[in-house]
Amino acid sequence: MPIDTGHALAATARDTISETNAAELATSLFGIRGHAERLDGEYDDNFHLIATNSNDAWALKIASRDETEESIALQHNAMRHAGIGNPRLATTEIEGVRRFVRLLEWVPGTLLTRVAPQSSALLSSLGAELAKLDRALLDFDHPAAHRHLQWDLLQTAELREETHHVSDAHRRALVSRLLERVDREVLPVASQLRRSVIHGDANDFNVVVRDDRVAGLIDFGDMVHSATVTDLAIAAAYVMTGKNDPLGAAAHVVAGYNGELPLTDAERRVLYPLMLARLCMSVVISAARRASAPDVAYYRVHEAPAWAVLEQLDDVSFDIAQDVLFSRCRAPSDSGKLRRERAGNLGANLSLSYAEPLHIVRGWKQYLYDADGREYLDAYNNVAHVGHSHPRVVEAARRQMAILNTNTRYLHDSIVEYAHRLTAKLPPPLSVCWFVNSGSEANELALRLARAHTGRSGVIVNADAYHGNTQRLVEVSPYKFNGPGGAGPVRDVHVVAMPDDYRGKFRRDDTHAGEKYAEDVRDVIDATRDGAFLVESLPSVGGQIIPPRGYFAHAFDAVRAAGGVCIVDEVQVGFGRTGDHFWGFEMQDVVPDIVVMGKPMGNGHPVGAVVTTAEIAKSFANGMEYFSTFGGNPVSMAAALAVLDVIEEEALQENARRIGDGLKGMLAALASKHEIIGDVRGAGLFIGVELVRDRVTLEPAGQEAALVVNALKDRGILTGTEGPHHNVIKIRPPMCVSMADADRIVDTLDAVLTSGVF
Ligand code: PMP
């Protein structure tokens, strides 16, 4: 059936009834003296009628000439049944046509569409009021409600035939794809859905708000007998428009509804698909009407916002969306209890972030969601490199898990393919790989390789470096052995200065700073002739440091001249994070002897790797078998391969460069406004904002940094602190962040610093 474009209606009675005519009708038909003001309406001529001698007011509705008596009876009976007003009906003749004139109670207030921002209490009251109406109508029926209506959400099959009205091919494909998905979800359970007469159009133009609560619903002209849950789907769908967090906003409506009229399992299952169906319906019908009535803007008020939501939600998995929608129907999470419970069975030194720890239950792209459905922008997590729960990675790992997971003692394509793909990203002679399960395991193996090759055990490391959690790695991590609970340095580990050109002994104004810091390495290796220099390409835990140019080249020369090997730890920044390069060490035009990888490699699936030269690999292959039960298993390799694919296909390295540059620039501009920002440094999406109490003495503002990070968290942005003084705010988001996210980080930091949290 073709879509009713409303064109004929628009051309009929609209302008024939003036406000004066309407006021006269009110007097002659209902004995009310007042003045009338025209209101918007899709079909009817609607007026706000205000009594001349009192504060009384009504809605006077002159029905379109197509309106039937049955349809009006349906509306009026339903309203009386639900106890909302006592509508009156009369007839008159206008230009020879009999027209129904209705007098309804005026609901004072503002239309929801004009209320911004919309509080959670308001949204929840919308759900509650709609549920009360639906509940009251569960035992109501009327023959006129059993009708065919193009807006009925169970009629999407018809809509699918009309998608050709959408001229943009990309959008047309989006709607077709979504509608197919909706049918797949809804049709199997359609027969189990509760049916009743519903309002049918609780969009934001039909909801009246007073004192931050919904005061009433208006316009009962779309009443129909359908699945009860479609009423909620309609209201929740429109509430999503114009919101930063559309699902979070809709979750309040759902919770309000569920509190008054609990949803059945089948209703829960179809709610989200039906909400999408409604938005699809809105854009398709708008497109159809655009063709036939290009001037009637009222028909298209929801078009642009509905597209925005559809595009935003396009790649959100249905599971996540449903979970967010129902997050407020659950009892609020008791994070206090969960902690207390950790204390019993988990090691006391497993720390939690933030003064009030978060209970995160879901991740999607650059966003995390807590147990209460609150969304956070994750500006901290480099493990979810291509975005939390990336469907491509999830699917690759899931599929392989369902086929086979075993170890490297059997031949398997994936490990070979991955080794090829990974080494193709590295400069020669780095060509031989081992796969492990963590950054620690990778560093541990790297040290074994170095020892096997040089015959010496000693390691040179930067002050405040962190390389992992094993016994030996704690021994080579000054951040740990010099920190709380640390046992101090062991004999064969040598600490050299952190090449920090902001706070260290050689600063940015010294063009030879890199070379000078490298002298420290030369002195140690010359004195000890000890085996390995283990260094992060961009030290993170040590304070988001960007070593000055020349540091690596000079240090590597010195180490190699003394027979040592250079191990670069890329656990933090590898895989394109620095934007201009795939690996951090490339910023310094050097080639390490051994490269260590971890965190981002499997996008959350535990994968690490060590890559070295054929020569070093030969030294290690001394007859003793090397075996890691899980390292290089087919599932890990499938996940890691998918990560490489996504980095390339979504051009994430370029995104890191572009967004990182923009973000760094905006943060630097913020430094001119806030004295406390002593330094902004970074490469791509690896950024540090160092807070100081005094820009001359560089007195670290560690306590302030902690307050800022907690305040950012309270405002929905997750960051952390780093550095020996804990005064460097670390910004290291998933690589898919957008410029809008960058703006949000900067604006929020600005607001926090302006509000003076300390
Ligand atoms: N190296 C560096 C530079 C790290 O930052 C970390 C972890 N923060 C590790 C190694 C250890 O990695 P994992 O926690 O995966 O063992």
Side-chain angles (χ1 to χ4, degrees):
M1 171 188 277
I3 280 183
D4 163 16
T5 62
H7 184 218
L9 300 171
T12 55
R14 277 310 160 91
D15 298 320
T16 58
I17 302 165
S18 66
E19 292 179 343
T20 314
N21 291 156
E24 283 165 9
L25 281 174
T27 311
S28 61
L29 297 175
F30 302 111
I32 293 173
R33 286 193 185 283
H35 75 273
E37 288 166 9
R38 180 171 273 281
L39 301 168
D40 273 344
E42 191 175 3
Y43 301 112
D44 300 341
D45 283 279
N46 296 332
F47 297 89
H48 181 193
L49 183 69
I50 303 135
T52 314
N53 297 323
S54 72
N55 290 330
D56 293 344
W58 300 264
L60 184 79
K61 293 169 78 71
I62 300 154
S64 81
R65 47 177 85 186
D66 302 351
E67 188 65 289
T68 64
E69 192 156 9
E70 295 74 37
S71 159
I72 292 175
L74 159 66
Q75 296 173 46
H76 287 197
N77 289 357
M79 290 164 88
R80 286 192 198 102
H81 187 91
I84 39 180
N86 188 18
R88 294 166 66 186
L89 176 66
T91 53
T92 189
E93 203 162 288
I94 300 173
E95 295 180 344
V97 180
R98 194 169 85 117
R99 304 280 294 272
F100 295 105
V101 184
R102 306 162 57 193
L103 190 72
L104 307 170
E105 265 170 42
W106 181 253
V107 186
T110 314
L111 293 183
L112 180 62
T113 187
R114 306 216 169 92
V115 179
Q118 295 171 358
S119 71
S120 47
L122 170 59
L123 294 174
S124 149
S125 78
L126 169 58
E129 290 308 313
L130 188 63
K132 284 181 203 162
L133 175 63
D134 285 345
R135 195 177 53 206
L137 294 179
L138 283 177
D139 61 353
F140 170 80
D141 206 354
H142 191 281
H146 296 259
R147 60 177 173 148
H148 178 274
L149 199 66
Q150 68 178 28
W151 289 101
D152 185 347
L153 281 189
L154 296 183
Q155 306 292 340
T156 47
E158 285 174 19
L159 194 70
R160 283 170 63 179
E161 288 166 24
E162 302 297 330
T163 51
H164 62 90
H165 289 289
V166 177
S167 53
D168 180 282
H170 176 77
R171 287 182 157 182
R172 195 164 56 242
L174 167 66
V175 164
S176 302
R177 196 167 58 241
L178 281 176
L179 286 175
E180 258 173 51
R181 182 82 200 268
V182 167
D183 279 1
R184 249 182 295 142
E185 300 287 329
V186 176
L187 294 182
V189 282
S191 63
Q192 299 163 34
L193 298 174
R194 198 162 33 173
R195 310 252 167 173
S196 61
V197 175
I198 58 164
H199 177 279
D201 194 16
N203 81 65
D204 48 1
F205 280 82
N206 288 340
V207 175
V208 181
V209 176
R210 198 166 61 240
D211 300 332
D212 202 35
R213 291 289 183 281
V214 167
L217 291 165
I218 57 173
D219 192 352
F220 286 64
D222 288 294
M223 294 198 94
V224 65
H225 190 269
S226 185
T228 315
V229 68
T230 57
D231 227 13
L232 171 60
I234 294 163
Y238 288 106
V239 155
M240 292 200 293
T241 58
K243 304 288 194 305
N244 282 337
D245 178 13
L247 291 168
H252 290 291
V253 182
V254 175
Y257 191 98
N258 191 60
E260 291 291 336
L261 184 59
L263 295 161
T264 65
D265 288 346
E267 287 172 339
R268 282 174 173 248
R269 185 165 155 198
V270 299
L271 177 63
Y272 180 61
L274 290 174
M275 288 163 63
L276 291 180
R278 181 58 178 217
L279 294 176
C280 288
M281 202 167 254
S282 175
V283 294
V284 171
I285 292 180
S286 295
R289 286 177 173 181
R290 173 194 305 285
S292 61
D295 303 331
V296 186
Y298 175 73
Y299 292 156
R300 300 198 306 270
V301 281
H302 287 117
E303 189 178 16
W307 275 122
V309 177
L310 286 172
E311 281 165 352
Q312 191 179 346
L313 296 180
D314 182 21
D315 56 0
V316 174
S317 86
F318 275 35
D319 287 342
I320 287 199
Q322 295 274 33
D323 206 39
V324 179
L325 279 181
F326 292 106
S327 58
R328 296 197 174 272
C329 297
R330 298 187 280 265
S333 91
D334 186 347
S335 52
K337 179 167 171 278
L338 260 186
R339 280 171 63 199
R340 285 193 301 278
E341 286 176 1
R342 268 169 76 103
N345 300 110
L346 301 177
N349 51 0
L350 276 181
S351 72
L352 288 160
S353 298
Y354 306 112
E356 273 176 51
L358 290 172
H359 180 189
I360 297 293
V361 294
R362 258 185 331 276
W364 181 252
K365 291 187 161 180
Q366 58 273 43
Y367 305 106
L368 289 172
Y369 298 86
D370 73 11
D372 297 327
R374 178 152 190 225
E375 179 217 83
Y376 294 87
L377 170 61
D378 183 355
Y380 188 69
N381 196 331
N382 68 333
V383 174
H385 192 58
V386 299
H388 290 279
S389 317
H390 196 293
R392 184 78 181 267
V393 183
V394 172
E395 180 54 19
R398 190 201 61 76
R399 196 184 306 141
Q400 185 56 48
M401 189 77 179
I403 298 170
L404 170 76
N405 200 16
T406 181
N407 61 60
T408 48
R409 287 196 179 119
Y410 301 101
L411 294 172
H412 201 274
D413 295 345
S414 61
I415 190 168
V416 181
E417 185 185 348
Y418 189 73
H420 282 314
R421 295 268 303 269
L422 186 64
T423 50
K425 292 274 185 199
L426 286 158
L430 293 166
S431 55
V432 184
C433 311
W434 285 264
F435 297 108
V436 293
N437 313 119
S438 67
S440 296
E441 200 184 348
N443 269 325
E444 187 72 41
L445 175 58
L447 292 179
R448 284 186 63 195
L449 293 178
R451 194 183 288 203
H453 190 66
T454 62
R456 294 192 289 258
S457 68
V459 185
I460 301 170
V461 291
N462 285 135
D464 302 308
Y466 175 70
H467 294 288
N469 59 31
T470 67
Q471 181 63 42
R472 183 58 176 164
L473 293 176
V474 169
E475 287 174 2
V476 300
S477 298
Y479 170 78
K480 288 287 176 199
F481 69 69
N482 282 334
V490 293
R491 190 187 42 79
D492 60 353
V493 172
H494 316 286
V495 178
V496 293
M498 178 64 86
D500 175 353
D501 64 1
Y502 174 67
R503 166 179 295 285
K505 54 186 171 179
F506 309 113
R507 306 251 167 115
R508 240 162 263 174
D509 52 2
D510 182 345
T511 48
H512 297 287
E515 197 177 333
K516 289 180 182 170
Y517 278 115
E519 282 306 308
D520 224 5
V521 180
R522 183 183 301 281
D523 290 347
V524 172
I525 194 98
D526 284 351
T528 63
R529 317 293 295 173
D530 243 342
F533 176 41
L534 170 60
V535 63
E536 276 181 89
S537 46
L538 301 174
S540 181
V541 170
Q544 300 291 93
I545 304 295
I546 315 292
R549 274 195 70 78
Y551 176 64
F552 282 72
H554 285 91
F556 282 20
D557 280 352
V559 171
R560 285 169 176 156
V565 297
C566 303
I567 308 170
V568 169
D569 182 336
E570 286 278 343
V571 168
Q572 288 274 348
V573 295
F575 296 87
R577 174 160 297 277
T578 60
D580 284 335
H581 303 282
F582 202 76
W583 306 109
F585 65 76
E586 290 171 300
M587 288 171 70
Q588 296 258 342
D589 287 328
V590 290
V591 178
D593 302 305
I594 303 173
V595 180
V596 170
M597 303 159 196
K599 291 180 190 278
M601 221 174 141
N603 209 51
H605 185 89
V607 198
V610 179
V611 187
T612 191
T613 64
E615 203 190 334
I616 294 177
K618 203 164 147 220
S619 304
F620 186 55
N622 66 354
M624 183 193 287
E625 184 203 17
Y626 176 79
F627 180 62
S628 163
T629 301
F630 298 118
N633 71 71
V635 173
S636 298
M637 294 295 96
L641 278 166
V643 170
L644 286 185
D645 288 341
V646 175
I647 293 172
E648 280 163 24
E649 282 164 23
E650 297 184 9
L652 292 181
Q653 184 180 330
E654 167 58 16
N655 195 58
R657 191 192 60 72
R658 198 171 57 82
I659 308 299
D661 280 357
L663 180 53
K664 207 169 67 165
M666 290 190 285
L667 289 167
L670 210 57
S672 60
K673 185 169 166 196
H674 299 284
E675 272 288 306
I676 195 166
I677 300 180
D679 191 33
V680 174
R681 53 181 174 260
L685 287 170
F686 177 85
I687 294 176
V689 179
E690 180 151 0
L691 302 190
V692 292
R693 293 190 185 140
D694 184 315
R695 285 188 177 182
V696 177
T697 65
L698 305 191
E699 184 189 349
Q703 281 157 5
E704 292 86 339
L707 290 168
V708 168
V709 162
N710 278 294
L712 286 171
K713 182 218 80 174
D714 291 341
R715 289 166 162 83
I717 293 184
L718 304 184
T719 57
T721 54
E722 292 292 16
H725 311 290
H726 310 287
N727 66 326
V728 182
I729 297 174
K730 172 165 171 169
I731 300 178
R732 187 194 50 174
M735 301 268 285
C736 52
V737 283
S738 65
M739 207 50 109
D741 297 320
D743 288 339
R744 184 170 156 197
I745 292 170
V746 176
D747 292 347
T748 313
L749 180 59
D750 186 18
V752 165
L753 293 176
T754 306
S755 74
V757 282
F758 36 79

